[in-house]
Structures are given as C-alpha cells and as structure tokens.
Amino acid sequence: MTSSPAPTPAMNDLLHSIWESLHAGAGAGRSPFSVLQAATVGVDGNPKVRTIILRDVNESLARLSFHTDIRSDKVRELRGRPAISMHGYDAERLVQIRLEGVASFMTDEAEKLAVWKSSRPRTLILYRSPIASGSVIEDPAQAQAPDAADPMSGYENFCLVHVSVQRIDYLDLSSEPHHRAQFQLRDKGAFEGHWVAP
Ligand SMILES: Cc1cc2nc3c(=O)[nH]c(=O)nc-3n(C[C@H](O)[C@H](O)[C@H](O)COP(=O)(O)O)c2cc1C
C-alpha cells in the first residue's frame, strides 16, 4: 500500500516546528539543538565532522549561523568547498534534524563587531590563543589564551559562518509509524516538503 502525501498545511506546520526547534537551540537557554554537528568536505576529500554551538537562526532567510576561528581547518575547507551538512538530535523527543546548505562568511564588519561585542567574554577567550587550531604543540599549555585586558583581543581570529539551508531531513521516532520528511528549497525561496519512508 502506498502512503498518500500529507496535506500541505501539515507539511507547513512541520516545517515551522523544525525552525522553532532550531530557534530554541540558538536561544539563551540550553536546548537539544544548541549543540549541532557540522560536516564539511576535507581538503583530502574525506568527510570531516565536528561539534559547533548554534548561535543564530533566521527562518525567513533559511539561515543558521555559528562562530568559529578563522585559522581552523573547517574555514579552510569551506573556502575550498562551501558545502556543509549539519545534524542535531533531541534525545527526549527522539527527533533528528539534518540540514544541508552552503556556507558563507560574514563580511559586514559592523555586524561582525556587533556580534563580537554581544557575545559572552568567556566564549571569546579561545580566539586569543597564539597558536592556530590544529597546530602540533608539545604541551597543551602552549595554546592557552593569555589574559588580556583588551576586549578586542582575538577579534582578528573571530569569524561568523552563515549556512544557507537548502535541504532539511526530519525524522521523528516517537510515533508509530515513525515520521520522516524532507524539504527542498525551491527557486522562489520556499521549501517544498514531502513524507518519505523512514
Ligand atoms: C560542546 C562543544 C562546542 C563547540 N562549539 C564550537 C563552535 O561553536 N565553533 C567552533 O569552531 N568549534 C566549536 N567546538 C570545537 C569543534 O568541535 C572543533 O574541535 C574545532 O572547531 C576544530 O575543528 P576543525 O579542525 O574541524 O576546524 C566545540 C566543541 C564542543 C565539544
């Protein structure tokens, strides 16, 4: 028996609830989607994945943002090939969200500065490290960021990555039958979705 496609309003509601979950992840309190995995294509052609903190979600632009160090491998990888996949899992609701998109770097200096200034100082210390992420060192203490009175210290290493989401894969294992849906960004900037077999 073939399953009939869900009516459009249900798909729209589901899409909106996905963005709501992501919004909560980027909010002030911790939520399951605050911490995501981001995968890139390595310069050696192999997949690379790492954890990032979701910092901003803009549903109308279909965009997620995270902070990173301009000296990191992921930046080098994204400059070579901006394809990026993100993954998050809510273990209580048994919901997985996978996203595919295209990464770009925030170039608006005023906006970047505003983000830096609005970030908690504790989260910015890493950018002060004198040694680039991934460099071989003899002792972990070598990469420790020095105390700095200057609140702009490390700013030159700070960068903001925007991910323009083009595809979403949603899986909910909490119901029987399990629900899985996929959404694809179409030309007019709207997502088109359908159920798929889990
Ligand atoms: C809980 C957690 C949160 C992290 N958040 C970020 C982040 O927001 N941005 C980031 O660049 N790295 C973050 N990291 C570190 C990355 O996972 C990764 O180790 C580092 O960025 C180097 O990755 P790369 O060599 O692939 O560029 C986080 C790690 C953990 C465990």
Side-chain angles (χ1 to χ4, degrees):
M1 199 176 93
T2 53
S3 61
S4 53
T8 310
M11 271 296 146
N12 285 342
D13 289 349
L14 175 58
L15 180 63
H16 188 60
S17 80
I18 293 169
W19 283 108
E20 287 285 296
S21 298
L22 294 169
H23 257 295
R30 273 291 162 117
S31 102
F33 296 104
S34 298
V35 177
L36 301 180
Q37 273 60 55
T40 49
V41 180
V43 289
D44 58 5
N46 291 324
K48 310 286 173 182
V49 66
R50 76 286 287 163
T51 309
I52 57 95
I53 304 280
L54 182 60
R55 298 291 180 179
D56 190 54
V57 173
N58 187 321
E59 181 179 351
S60 54
L61 295 179
R63 194 183 78 180
L64 311 184
S65 308
F66 65 91
H67 300 174
T68 196
D69 192 310
I70 209 157
R71 302 168 293 176
S72 64
D73 284 351
K74 73 182 84 50
V75 169
R76 206 168 8 264
E77 290 159 3
L78 290 169
R79 282 191 173 137
R81 188 165 170 185
I84 185 163
S85 293
M86 318 270 290
H87 164 271
Y89 176 57
D90 181 337
E92 261 179 40
R93 286 167 54 220
L94 304 182
V95 165
Q96 169 182 267
I97 299 176
R98 294 189 288 169
L99 307 149
E100 287 176 34
V102 177
S104 61
F105 299 93
M106 185 192 261
T107 50
D108 185 319
E109 205 53 40
E111 257 187 84
K112 190 179 130 190
L113 187 59
V115 172
W116 172 269
K117 287 186 169 166
S118 67
S119 300
R120 279 176 297 163
R122 196 172 56 81
T123 68
L124 302 177
I125 292 171
L126 289 171
Y127 301 100
R128 275 195 232 138
S129 171
I131 302 184
S133 158
S135 306
V136 175
I137 49 178
E138 281 171 15
D139 189 301
Q142 271 177 270
Q144 195 177 359
D147 285 336
D150 178 5
M152 292 306 290
S153 172
Y155 179 69
E156 66 280 8
N157 299 322
F158 176 72
C159 99
L160 212 133
V161 180
H162 289 319
V163 177
S164 293
V165 177
Q166 298 189 327
R167 270 179 296 282
I168 301 173
D169 187 304
Y170 170 89
L171 177 65
D172 179 352
L173 300 182
S174 68
S175 60
E176 282 295 343
H178 297 159
H179 289 172
R180 182 175 175 196
Q182 289 178 339
F183 298 86
Q184 167 80 43
L185 189 66
R186 295 296 176 201
D187 294 343
K188 289 181 180 146
F191 281 91
E192 191 178 282
H194 46 247
W195 296 112
V196 294

